[in-house]
Amino acid sequence: MKTNYRYGEIISLCNQVDYASDQVEFRQVFETSNGGVALLAFKEGQKLETHTSPFQVMVTVCEGEIDFTMLDETHLMKAGDALLMGANVAHSVKARANSKVLLVKIKD
């Protein structure tokens, strides 16, 4: 497993990623060949264009609001909301406000 954190170390998770003015900011919490956990920070209006992932994912909004679109349906997600998505599903994300998102990726 790849990580910059130590086992047993308590961290303030959403504070581990900061906003960048020119792009969505990614921070890997840990990664294995079967998936991982990442934090994303979106400034209001920033987006990830439509793409797919070979992983099953759980998206959790830590703060802010995002539009998460998959299968041509847009879901308004607010802090505390979570959504599950299967592998290889086309999706996109757009921040309605400054937002931080926790992404859990798992490969079958």
Side-chain angles (χ1 to χ4, degrees):
M1 178 173 83
K2 295 183 208 172
T3 186
N4 290 323
Y5 300 96
R6 293 180 295 216
Y7 287 100
E9 176 182 36
I10 296 174
I11 58 173
S12 179
L13 192 60
C14 286
N15 291 333
Q16 300 301 303
V17 64
D18 292 317
Y19 300 105
S21 61
D22 58 340
Q23 64 185 18
V24 176
E25 189 67 26
F26 288 82
R27 170 77 185 225
Q28 203 69 33
V29 177
F30 73 85
E31 184 175 24
T32 72
S33 59
N34 292 321
V37 173
L39 289 163
L40 293 79
F42 297 81
K43 289 200 64 121
E44 182 178 352
Q46 287 181 330
K47 58 187 173 181
L48 293 176
E49 297 295 340
T50 302
H51 62 284
T52 61
S53 170
F55 299 97
Q56 310 258 355
V57 300
M58 183 174 80
V59 177
T60 304
V61 178
C62 298
E63 64 184 53
E65 293 183 357
I66 63 169
D67 285 327
F68 189 92
T69 302
M70 70 175 188
L71 302 174
D72 297 323
E73 184 176 351
T74 300
H75 305 273
L76 169 60
M77 297 181 67
K78 300 178 180 182
D81 291 345
L83 176 135
L84 298 176
M85 183 184 73
N88 303 309
V89 173
H91 60 285
S92 63
V93 181
K94 182 174 181 185
R96 289 184 170 215
N98 288 353
S99 302
K100 293 183 179 179
V101 174
L102 177 69
L103 180 65
V104 178
K105 307 178 297 183
I106 300 171
K107 193 176 276 188
D108 280 337

